[in-house]
């Protein structure tokens, strides 16, 4: 009995030590959590490509991993850096235009409001939207603050070039090893987890499934819709098409409305200001091209439902973005999916015990 008690104390002490050293390790890597996260996501998403290179060059895993990393750098990283720099440049120019008074949202809205039918104007006035000067002043201030935030982020990145380059290099370095040794690392982690192996396997499968579904179903579809929107705006002559395209890609994360919150007001403004064919083109493209892209691409790319309700995806995505920035687009739905999966497994185990 005494020996059993001593064993439990020793085991408890070891578990406490393990918890503390794991917490310390998390604190140490916390400054590089984002590049480590994206390295893990890249390793998961491009694992099929790595296996293809592996089959072409058997026994040369290092070369296969380097070739996979080269594809990631050319196909993903370089375009992302180019688009990001162009978007920041457009946002900075718009901020300057707002500050110099070259752009006045109030005049635009007043012009649109004056062209609306009298009955619609009366309805808007009765609903409390008739005080346009105050309303438009707040809208213009919000838009200017949003663009200013983008510019501030660009200045912050530019002011810490060394930190950005270091994080970027760490992300690439870790990606190489996770691509090459990811399956072995995953097997080791699953074996070490203090839970039943069947439960660990199900959670790991759920983890990989949600990551792939989120990136394919949200990020890829969002980029496609943003690109289609930018092309549409370029055709009709709307300025800052890259910035609007990125906003549309982000808006595509919102269920139901999605990119319509960008192309809808643009089409309304064009039609109200007499640009009839431009407004019709934006309207047709928004409904028949941009809107249908989600319905066509998502089933092809995702293949099966993640099992997460749309309202929960919306809340967790916005919450993830608020906590972690861009990484929250994936982390939010991932946490929601693992939360649902964990409680589902617990409910199944309880049902088995009761049966």
């Amino acid at each position: 009995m005494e020996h059993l008690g001593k064993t439990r104390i020793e085991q408890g002490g070891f578990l406490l030590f393990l918890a503390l050293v794991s917490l310390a390790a998390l604190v140490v890597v916390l400054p590089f959590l984002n590049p480590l996260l994206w390295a893990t996501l890249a390793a998961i998403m491009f694992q099929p490509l790595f296996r293809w290179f592996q089959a072409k060059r058997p026994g040369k895993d290092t070369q296969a991993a380097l070739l996979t990393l080269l594809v990631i750098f050319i196909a993903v990283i370089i375009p992302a850096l180019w688009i990001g720099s162009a978007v920041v440049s457009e946002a900075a120019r718009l901020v300057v235009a707002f500050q110099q008074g070259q752009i006045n949202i109030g005049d635009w809205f007043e012009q649109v409001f004056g062209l609306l039918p009298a009955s619609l104007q009366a309805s808007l006035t009765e609903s409390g939207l008739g005080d346009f000067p105050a309303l438009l002043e707040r809208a213009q201030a919000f838009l200017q603050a949003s663009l200013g935030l983008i510019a501030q982020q660009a200045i912050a990145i530019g002011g810490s070039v060394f930190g950005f380059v270091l994080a970027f290099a760490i992300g690439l370095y870790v990606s190489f090893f996770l691509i090459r040794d990811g399956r072995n690392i995953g097997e080791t982690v699953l074996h070490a987890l203090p839970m039943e192996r069947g439960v660990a396997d199900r959670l790991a499968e759920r983890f990989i499934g949600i990551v792939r579904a989120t990136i394919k179903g949200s990020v890829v579809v969002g980029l496609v819709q943003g690109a289609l929107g930018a092309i549409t705006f370029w055709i009709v002559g709307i300025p800052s098409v890259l910035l609007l395209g990125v906003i549309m890609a982000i808006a595509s994360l919102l269920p139901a409305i999605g990119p319509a919150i960008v192309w809808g007001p643009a089409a309304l403004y064009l039609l109200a200001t007499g640009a009839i064919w431009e407004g019709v083109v934006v309207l047709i493209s928004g409904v028949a091209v941009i809107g249908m892209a989600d319905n066509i691409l998502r089933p092809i790319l995702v293949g099966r439902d993640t099992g997460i309700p749309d309202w929960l995806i919306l809340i967790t995505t916005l919450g993830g973005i608020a906590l972690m920035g861009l990484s929250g687009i994936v982390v939010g739905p991932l946490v929601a999916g693992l939360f649902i999966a964990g409680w589902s497994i617990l409910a199944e185990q309880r049902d088995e015990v009761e049966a």
Side-chain angles (χ1 to χ4, degrees), residues 190 199-211 304 338:
L190 291 177
V199 173
D201 289 338
R202 290 180 61 182
L203 290 177
E205 181 183 359
R206 185 69 171 160
F207 174 83
I208 294 175
I210 293 173
V211 167
R304 59 184 177 86
L338 293 178

Side-chain angles (χ1 to χ4, degrees), residues 190-314:
L190 291 177
H191 180 72
L193 287 176
M195 63 178 67
E196 295 180 15
R197 183 54 192 264
V199 173
D201 289 338
R202 290 180 61 182
L203 290 177
E205 181 183 359
R206 185 69 171 160
F207 174 83
I208 294 175
I210 293 173
V211 167
R212 288 177 175 168
T214 301
I215 293 180
K216 289 181 180 180
S218 297
V219 178
V220 174
V221 173
L223 291 175
V224 171
Q225 290 184 309
L228 292 173
I231 293 172
T232 301
F233 292 149
W234 175 75
I235 291 174
V236 300
I238 294 179
S240 303
V241 293
L242 280 178
L243 178 60
L244 292 175
V246 170
I247 296 174
M248 189 177 296
I250 296 173
S252 68
L253 298 172
L254 303 176
I257 47 175
I261 64 176
V262 179
W263 63 257
L268 176 62
Y269 171 76
L270 291 172
L271 292 173
T273 53
I276 303 300
W277 76 265
E278 292 92 340
V280 171
V281 168
V282 172
L283 192 62
I284 293 176
S285 176
V287 175
V289 180
I290 301 172
M292 291 301 296
D294 181 81
N295 298 329
I296 295 174
L297 291 178
R298 195 178 298 273
I300 296 175
L301 294 174
V302 178
R304 59 184 177 86
D305 190 13
T306 59
I308 309 174
D310 286 345
W311 63 269
L312 188 56
I313 292 178
L314 173 62

